[in-house]
Amino acid sequence: MNLDSGWVYVVDSGNSRVQRFDFQGRFLESWGAQGIADGQFQQPGKIVFEPINQWLYVLDTGNNRIQRFDSRGRFLGKWGREGDGDGWFRSPESLALGLGWLYVVDVDNNRIQWFDYRGRYLGAKGGKGTADGQFDRPAGIAVDQINDWVYVVDSGNNRIQRFDTRLRFLNTWGTEGGAEDQFRNPTGIALDVANGWVYVVDAGNNRVQKFDSRGNFLKVLGSSGTGDGQFQAPGAIAVDESTGSVYVADTESNRVHKFDSRGGFLGQSFTGNVDTP
């Protein structure tokens, strides 16, 4: 899910397509189908918008590649294949934009790779383990372009790691559990850079946790259930920095919840339109 273009783009993974909505949740258009051809997907994952060139990058997880589109879904290019070589992937899970760079979470290779905006390979960091800078099935990633920080959700280790833009380790927080500042299978992450806030989807605990930029706990959003502002396996998350509104895709109930920056529930949309967002 991505909000940066002025529209809401939702990856509808189960239907192998991308859907576009306005901020009121009104459907505008969709594109994609299941397959391996250009513009087709196999279990697509995350999506990001690059505002200078007006490009969209879609993580085509099942095909182990990145596809690039214009803002209306017209295919522009692609890169990647299955493997552990430079620029290759095994189950890529998430991606995020830096200043001139695109970071990709390469889950089964337990590393982060980064590329220029046209897909040229620039480097990789990581490796499987529990030490600083190592990962166990990393999931989400987010970039603070003001402070030049990169946050990685280290899902298997139930922690968040913070790096500089060259992926040099800075600090970490989180352990396994259900208390504040603990996680069970964290997945998505989003930033409100203007306010210095970090939102983490704590999927196994059916909640979102809010931290300051250095990892100090601030608040919990949501709880387990089917009511307003409650979750069943939450997944993707995005922040509208112009308003502070937080959007959370609730995977099992096929809906997107909207909260204000204080955690107050504002509404839901896209009900019935999203399969495994």
Side-chain angles (χ1 to χ4, degrees), residues 263-275:
F265 177 74
L266 296 177
Q268 66 182 34
S269 56
F270 322 124
T271 304
N273 289 323
V274 181
D275 185 5

Side-chain angles (χ1 to χ4, degrees), residues 19 29 31 74 87 201 221 229:
Q19 298 194 64
E29 65 178 339
W31 72 88
R74 290 180 285 262
V201 177
L221 284 70

Side-chain angles (χ1 to χ4, degrees), residues 18 31 37-41 46-50 52-60 65-80 95 97 102 115-120:
V18 175
W31 72 88
D38 296 345
Q40 295 182 328
F41 306 108
K46 302 299 186 292
I47 186 170
V48 296
F49 178 77
E50 190 277 296
I52 297 175
N53 296 296
Q54 300 280 297
W55 290 340
L56 285 165
Y57 298 89
V58 179
L59 197 59
D60 189 6
R65 64 185 181 182
I66 311 296
Q67 295 197 63
R68 180 166 55 94
F69 301 87
D70 69 15
S71 61
R72 302 303 297 269
R74 290 180 285 262
F75 176 82
L76 298 175
K78 64 184 178 182
W79 73 91
L95 70 171
L97 286 176
L102 181 72
F115 305 84
D116 69 16
Y117 285 170
R118 293 185 178 272
R120 184 172 64 92

Side-chain angles (χ1 to χ4, degrees), residues 93-206:
E93 174 70 19
S94 188
L95 70 171
L97 286 176
L99 291 174
W101 297 342
L102 181 72
Y103 297 91
V104 181
V105 178
D106 188 8
V107 177
D108 286 347
N109 287 320
N110 288 292
R111 64 184 179 180
I112 310 299
Q113 298 192 64
W114 68 98
F115 305 84
D116 69 16
Y117 285 170
R118 293 185 178 272
R120 184 172 64 92
Y121 174 81
L122 298 175
K125 288 289 183 69
K128 185 175 177 59
T130 60
D132 295 342
Q134 294 183 324
F135 306 107
D136 182 3
R137 296 192 59 79
I141 188 168
V143 179
D144 177 346
Q145 295 187 11
I146 294 177
N147 295 297
D148 291 333
W149 293 334
V150 179
Y151 297 85
V152 179
V153 179
D154 187 7
S155 186
N157 288 320
N158 290 291
R159 65 183 180 181
I160 309 301
Q161 297 195 62
R162 183 169 63 97
F163 302 87
D164 67 16
T165 53
R166 295 283 183 176
L167 296 184
R168 292 176 289 232
F169 176 82
L170 297 175
N171 77 307
T172 185
W173 73 88
T175 57
E176 183 177 4
E180 296 175 356
D181 195 28
Q182 292 185 320
F183 305 104
R184 288 192 174 97
N185 188 34
T187 53
I189 187 169
L191 308 180
D192 184 339
V193 176
N195 291 299
W197 296 333
V198 179
Y199 295 91
V200 179
V201 177
D202 186 8
N205 288 316
N206 285 306

Side-chain angles (χ1 to χ4, degrees), residues 1-10 19-29 47-52 54-56 71-72 238-243 247 258 270:
M1 182 167 53
N2 185 272
L3 310 176
D4 294 336
S5 64
W7 296 316
V8 179
Y9 291 96
V10 178
Q19 298 194 64
R20 185 167 66 94
F21 302 84
D22 65 19
F23 278 163
Q24 286 69 48
R26 291 186 291 262
F27 173 80
L28 299 174
E29 65 178 339
I47 186 170
V48 296
F49 178 77
E50 190 277 296
I52 297 175
Q54 300 280 297
W55 290 340
L56 285 165
S71 61
R72 302 303 297 269
V239 175
D240 177 4
E241 292 201 53
S242 66
T243 64
Y247 296 79
K258 182 180 179 181
F270 322 124

